[in-house]
Amino acid sequence: MKALTLQLRPEVDQPVDISSVTPSAVSGRTLEQLSRMKLPTRTGRLTLGEAFDISGDADQGLVLESHSGLLERAAAGLTEGSLGLRGHFGDRVAEGMRGGQVELRGRCEHYAANSMRGGQLSIRGEAGDWLGGALPDAVTGLNGGTVIVNGRIGDMAGYRMRRGLVLVNGDAGAYLGARMVAGTIVVTGAVGAHAGFNMRRGTLAVRDDALAIPTNFADCGVTESVYGALLAAQIKKVSRRAAAFISSAKHTHLYRGDITNGGLGELLVFATS
Amino acid sequence: MSTSTRKVKKRLNGVVIDPTFAEAFPMKGTRVIITAATEEWAFHAANAMTGFATSVIACGCEAGIERKLSPRETPDGRPGYAVMIFAMGDKGLAKQLQDRIGQCVLTSPTSACYAGVAPGDRPLPIGKQLRYFGDGYQTSKVMDGRRFWRIPVMDGEFVCDEVTWALPAIGGGNFLVLATHQSAALEACERAIKAMRKVSGVIMPFPGGVVRSGSKVGSKYAALPASTNHRFCPTLKGVVDNDLEADTGSVMEIVIDGLSKEAISEAMAVGIRAACKLGRQRGIQRISAGNYGGNLGPHHFHLHEVLA
């Protein structure tokens, strides 16, 4: 028997808040009971049975499938268990997640992992803007846990991030780590303009040919980074590619900034040649 | 010290194993992992940190290198050493740990220092205190629920765990090697120490792991807490009651501190067997142990049971 699979029906034409559908919420329920679960939409509510084709067994896991980007807040607030996401998801995936594991094979829109506090989100595909970034009415963005993206991410990733680890095996857009408070973002691909804008503390780890060094970062020279070795050893457990990127570097160049905001943040630039 | 007597005799390679026991005491202990750019420099830091730490009588703690670690066994993937340190209480242990890491590890080129035990309920500060050396320029990183401190120093950066943890421990496991002459006792102890260094969870805190001046509690001088164990001094054989054979020329002791009774028992067994390999024909007469009648220390290591 396969995992409980909820396939969004093509006739659903408005965003649906899917946050209440979690492994613990569906466990022990019959298909009939699941069908009657109510989901908020922009204009009212839909039942699970109206929005999804439902099949499988919850004891074997939970998978959500969507190809329209209309499912919002998937895995929001998740505290335990595993959740599989397949296809194209909307905004705020894993918002406020506190534990458990989410694997998205596909892509998601904006504000994924905002206010996430624990657990692990893996995205095998692209993420939109504001990955781990603070919502407009929030003080901080990502605040714990691990986010791994094997694909491109948009602009403003890590905006006002407070804690946690983001690993991007792909390119990142502009304003990476803007106003970052703490935490670590590793990007193995290219990085857009204005990385570390107004950053307070925290670490951006990038490739030497990935970006133009921002002018508001002070050159602290080449360093033997023990922290880099520690970071590589720790992240090897979740992303061998990101770990290899750091541990195979010829040397590490350290820049501190944003100097307009105390200069305690760091840009670790790993030389590839 | 006294040796209790039981009727059962045991021999290993002709060497008599006394029917007696080692009496050991509760302590508090911890382990830290020291890494550096090379094995040599990790050793310098570990060696300095564990210097002048043979006995709590006057050193404040007992400490030693437990074993060398390969890069795969350390948090940062660099060569390292596991170091253990023991004291009579949490407070004394915390102070000794702070002082030794601060003066001997933080100062050592390319070093880093990490907790070497699983989280417990009695934290011992490492970076939590040492971070202030960074004078406000220090930063911290939380990874996998552990907080690490990064302190800017002249050679680059000193990285350490925020805390390690105090664990219940045992100090004073021991055995004595009685031999016809000094070089035999020494060679037997060297073999014992070489074998014991492969046992995890123990250290032998004395120089080279061996004590030449085993002590007894008390002294004729009121100010001294301990004095020479005269019953095992071969040069006093003719004039005091003693526990030696007529041709015993030298006695050496190996003291063991460890995180568990099992680890100490294993170390004693491994060490005694290695010491006895020289055999009676090469001068090793007996293996004995030191105790206080069994009424002071709650941990007793009976030699015959340890070797069973």
Side-chain angles (χ1 to χ4, degrees):
Chain A
M1 184 63 110
K2 66 171 188 173
L4 181 68
T5 303
L6 309 181
Q7 244 175 338
L8 187 67
R9 292 191 171 146
E11 53 267 35
V12 174
D13 60 0
Q14 59 173 321
V16 178
D17 185 329
I18 195 70
S19 58
S20 60
V21 182
T22 63
S24 55
V26 303
S27 173
R29 293 199 191 208
T30 63
L31 290 185
E32 171 62 28
Q33 287 169 326
L34 289 171
S35 304
R36 292 200 299 265
M37 278 178 73
K38 291 193 169 59
L39 305 172
T41 67
R42 293 276 168 89
T43 57
R45 286 178 190 248
L46 280 175
T47 67
L48 207 68
E50 288 168 334
F52 292 91
D53 290 321
I54 307 171
S55 61
D57 178 7
D59 288 343
Q60 304 303 317
L62 175 60
V63 174
L64 308 180
E65 286 187 14
S66 161
H67 298 286
S68 60
L70 291 174
L71 288 184
E72 296 187 334
R73 303 185 72 232
L78 186 72
T79 57
E80 59 180 358
S82 294
L83 178 56
L85 307 177
R86 306 283 182 265
H88 178 192
F89 282 73
D91 291 347
R92 298 156 77 177
V93 170
E95 172 178 285
M97 180 175 162
R98 286 176 174 267
Q101 308 264 337
V102 177
E103 187 194 31
L104 166 55
R105 289 190 204 163
R107 62 186 176 107
C108 63
E109 296 295 330
H110 311 306
Y111 286 106
N114 78 81
S115 67
M116 178 174 165
R117 296 181 75 90
Q120 181 173 303
L121 168 64
S122 300
I123 301 174
R124 287 207 217 163
E126 294 186 358
D129 298 335
W130 306 91
L131 174 76
L135 289 172
D137 61 344
V139 174
T140 60
L142 180 71
N143 201 359
T146 303
V147 180
I148 306 159
V149 183
N150 289 314
R152 194 188 181 284
I153 65 174
D155 298 337
M156 308 301 292
Y159 179 77
R160 274 195 266 139
M161 177 174 163
R162 174 67 184 85
R163 188 173 284 136
L165 176 63
V166 177
L167 306 173
V168 181
N169 291 310
D171 298 338
Y175 289 96
L176 177 76
R179 301 184 71 192
M180 192 171 171
V181 177
T184 304
I185 303 178
V186 179
V187 178
T188 64
V191 175
H194 311 298
F197 176 80
N198 212 229
M199 184 181 188
R200 200 161 104 203
R201 296 195 308 276
T203 301
L204 301 179
V206 300
R207 232 172 52 205
D208 57 344
D209 59 354
L211 79 172
I213 303 299
T215 54
N216 45 339
F217 275 73
D219 187 345
C220 295
V222 173
T223 181
E224 300 288 337
S225 179
V226 177
Y227 169 66
L230 185 64
L231 180 63
Q234 296 281 343
I235 67 178
K236 199 174 174 183
K237 300 173 209 169
V238 294
S239 174
R240 288 184 173 269
R241 190 169 151 191
F245 156 68
I246 294 171
S247 55
S248 64
K250 300 286 186 289
H251 62 261
T252 308
H253 204 127
L254 172 64
Y255 298 87
R256 288 209 184 274
D258 185 335
I259 54 175
T260 62
N261 199 10
L264 287 179
E266 65 182 357
L267 188 58
L268 287 176
V269 179
F270 294 99
T272 52
S273 57
Chain B
M1 284 187 185
S2 68
T3 55
S4 70
T5 54
R6 283 196 273 165
K7 299 229 166 40
V8 177
K9 275 216 177 200
K10 187 182 174 79
R11 288 177 189 266
L12 274 181
N13 206 14
V15 178
V16 172
I17 310 297
D18 280 359
T20 186
F21 64 96
E23 186 167 348
F25 298 85
M27 296 182 87
K28 290 293 168 69
T30 192
R31 179 192 286 116
V32 293
I33 292 171
I34 296 170
T35 68
T38 65
E39 183 216 309
E40 182 187 356
W41 281 102
F43 177 77
H44 284 318
N47 192 40
M49 182 185 161
T50 55
F52 190 63
T54 57
S55 170
V56 291
I57 292 174
C59 301
C61 70
E62 295 172 13
I65 292 174
E66 182 193 8
R67 65 186 183 97
K68 188 165 71 174
L69 299 172
S70 72
R72 276 191 294 185
E73 296 177 280
T74 63
D76 59 18
R78 303 189 306 163
Y81 282 86
V83 162
M84 293 174 68
I85 178 169
F86 300 83
M88 296 313 293
D90 287 350
K91 210 168 153 185
L93 183 59
K95 172 98 176 50
Q96 285 290 322
L97 192 70
Q98 269 297 291
D99 288 349
R100 286 167 185 272
I101 294 176
Q103 300 304 309
C104 305
V105 182
L106 183 152
T107 56
S108 182
T110 76
S111 72
C113 185
Y114 307 102
V117 293
D121 55 8
R122 292 185 178 288
L124 298 169
I126 306 178
K128 192 169 184 178
Q129 287 295 119
L130 292 178
R131 60 181 163 141
Y132 295 111
F133 183 72
D135 203 23
Y137 300 107
Q138 67 274 16
T139 56
S140 78
K141 283 290 180 193
V142 176
M143 286 190 278
D144 283 345
R146 281 164 80 170
R147 185 179 293 279
F148 298 89
W149 283 97
R150 300 169 60 190
I151 301 164
V153 287
M154 282 168 53
D155 85 341
E157 184 174 74
F158 175 66
V159 177
C160 61
D161 251 307
E162 179 165 74
V163 296
T164 184
W165 283 270
L167 299 175
I170 301 170
N174 70 81
F175 61 93
L176 308 174
V177 178
L178 287 74
T180 52
H181 48 287
Q182 196 181 63
S183 58
L186 187 59
E187 187 181 347
C189 287
E190 285 171 339
R191 285 173 177 240
I193 290 297
K194 189 174 174 185
M196 292 164 79
R197 291 217 191 279
K198 295 177 187 164
V199 178
S200 290
V202 296
I203 55 160
M204 286 66 68
F206 283 92
V210 186
V211 191
R212 60 94 73 93
S213 55
S215 59
K216 66 176 183 290
V217 173
S219 168
K220 67 179 279 186
Y221 305 105
L224 286 187
S227 58
T228 192
N229 192 351
H230 63 272
R231 294 182 69 87
F232 283 90
C233 288
T235 58
L236 297 177
K237 268 202 304 264
V239 294
V240 299
D241 284 343
N242 64 77
D243 294 311
L244 304 176
E245 295 176 31
D247 58 347
T248 301
S250 185
V251 183
M252 293 187 188
E253 180 179 3
I254 291 178
V255 172
I256 308 136
D257 297 335
L259 292 179
S260 71
K261 200 162 180 185
E262 291 73 23
I264 294 178
S265 289
E266 184 187 348
M268 286 178 67
V270 161
I272 291 169
R273 290 200 174 95
C276 289
K277 282 212 167 119
L278 277 181
R280 191 153 189 110
Q281 67 275 18
R282 288 184 59 187
I284 308 304
Q285 297 174 315
R286 277 165 55 205
I287 301 294
S288 191
N291 61 66
Y292 309 92
N295 297 320
L296 287 185
H299 302 293
H300 300 168
F301 297 89
H302 292 269
L303 296 185
H304 288 194
E305 286 174 12
V306 158
L307 291 169

